[in-house]
Amino acid sequence: MKWFKRYAIGCLIWLILGGISDGYRRPGEDTRWGSIVIVAGFWPIVTAVIVGSSIGEVAHKINQAKLG
């Protein structure tokens, strides 16, 4: 499942970067609502996936060390 997790994280990060870059491409104009919604909606998901994945991998390694 590692490849799927990496793919999902990549897609979520791409969504955030796409929303951010949309705001920078239009200097002096109002940011489009779509960009605001994308960034506001997906940054918590990306953060949770990355932090949860990191914690899960550390816990798995600790568990493997105890058993092995």
Side-chain angles (χ1 to χ4, degrees):
M1 278 307 248
K2 280 191 171 189
W3 66 268
F4 181 74
K5 191 184 330 180
R6 289 179 184 156
Y7 178 76
I9 290 171
C11 288
L12 291 172
I13 290 172
W14 181 84
L15 282 172
I16 287 178
L17 293 177
I20 291 170
S21 71
D22 183 59
Y24 284 113
R25 274 195 236 141
R26 304 173 65 210
E29 298 178 23
D30 290 336
T31 306
R32 292 187 272 193
W33 282 103
S35 299
I36 295 170
V37 169
I38 287 173
V39 173
F42 285 106
W43 79 262
I45 296 170
V46 171
T47 304
V49 168
I50 291 172
V51 171
S53 174
S54 300
I55 291 172
E57 287 180 17
V58 169
H60 180 69
K61 288 180 182 179
I62 290 172
N63 191 21
Q64 291 295 326
K66 287 181 181 178
L67 295 175

